[in-house]
Amino acid sequence: MNAEDSRKNFLCWIASNSRPVAIQAENVSPRKPKLIMTPIPISPLQLKSHFFPIIRLQAMPGGKKDGKTTFNREVAFSPLPNKPNEWQLELTIKLASVEKTNPFIYEFEIQVIGFVELVAEVPADRRQQLAVVNGLSILYGALREMVINLTGRSPHGALMLPTLSFTDVLNEVQPASDPSQVISNAPAV
């Protein structure tokens, strides 16, 4: 390809002139990089299903973005009976105004329940940590999206929750030792 071949004639309208004018332009199309396709490994932890049994959200009349809030997290987890690679996880987030006379723009309580499965070999001493910490992080991402979707259609506009870390949750919460505490009305997985 020579320099002449890389030039193209085309018509364009110049703002100061009402007639089209032919101009010369270099073909500056970027070269496409050569793509190398490599397989992407799946995570050793897979989310099998999740649902939201509690969704309560209220746009507060007279709410202000500088209203003081409480932001609470409740967590529960339990291995599924007779399924050594699966856990049920529960995450509830509650946001409330501290002062009713100076409310925040939203108040809500949202709970998400999910079921995760380890699909790869993981050392025994890391299994629960991987399932709970990473599983709750996945569920929190779904909960954040639910909040931004709901508030995006609300009078005060979209609210994006902060990113949270669940790395210390195993130190704070102990798993339910009684399998009857596993929610029985959960969808089949």
Side-chain angles (χ1 to χ4, degrees):
M1 172 187 262
N2 63 34
E4 282 300 311
D5 293 337
S6 69
R7 296 185 184 275
K8 302 284 182 193
N9 282 325
F10 60 93
L11 295 178
C12 71
W13 292 94
I14 299 175
S16 63
N17 191 345
S18 62
R19 295 179 23 209
V21 190
I23 62 170
Q24 295 280 322
E26 296 239 357
N27 183 357
V28 291
S29 299
R31 292 183 186 217
K32 293 183 180 180
K34 187 173 184 176
L35 297 178
I36 300 172
M37 300 300 285
T38 58
I40 300 172
I42 65 168
S43 171
L45 183 73
Q46 293 295 306
L47 178 65
K48 293 186 72 177
S49 68
H50 69 289
F51 60 96
F52 295 86
I54 299 172
I55 300 176
R56 292 187 192 106
L57 183 130
Q58 181 177 358
M60 301 304 291
K64 299 178 183 83
K65 291 183 179 183
D66 64 349
K68 294 191 184 330
T69 62
T70 60
F71 185 76
N72 295 309
R73 164 188 91 176
E74 295 174 10
V75 171
F77 59 91
S78 178
L80 292 180
N82 303 319
K83 295 185 178 181
N85 294 330
E86 297 182 32
W87 282 261
Q88 174 182 320
L89 309 171
E90 299 176 24
L91 175 63
T92 304
I93 300 291
K94 297 177 183 177
L95 182 121
S97 299
V98 172
E99 303 168 0
K100 296 301 176 193
T101 56
N102 185 31
F104 185 64
I105 55 177
Y106 296 110
E107 290 187 5
F108 63 81
E109 176 183 7
I110 299 180
Q111 181 182 58
V112 60
I113 296 175
F115 297 88
V116 296
E117 179 181 14
L118 284 171
V119 295
E121 291 299 319
V122 176
D125 62 332
R126 293 199 54 234
R127 295 169 61 74
Q128 183 163 280
Q129 178 186 9
L130 180 67
V132 173
V133 173
N134 290 14
L136 288 172
S137 297
I138 292 167
L139 293 180
Y140 183 64
L143 190 146
R144 287 180 76 206
E145 284 300 310
M146 181 64 78
V147 169
I148 202 166
N149 284 329
L150 292 170
T151 57
R153 293 291 186 183
S154 297
H156 302 297
L159 174 68
M160 183 180 297
L161 296 179
T163 305
L164 298 182
S165 171
F166 294 93
T167 56
D168 292 334
V169 77
L170 289 173
N171 299 333
E172 299 169 12
V173 178
Q174 293 303 312
S177 58
D178 181 3
S180 67
Q181 292 181 353
V182 175
I183 292 179
S184 59
N185 64 348
V189 290

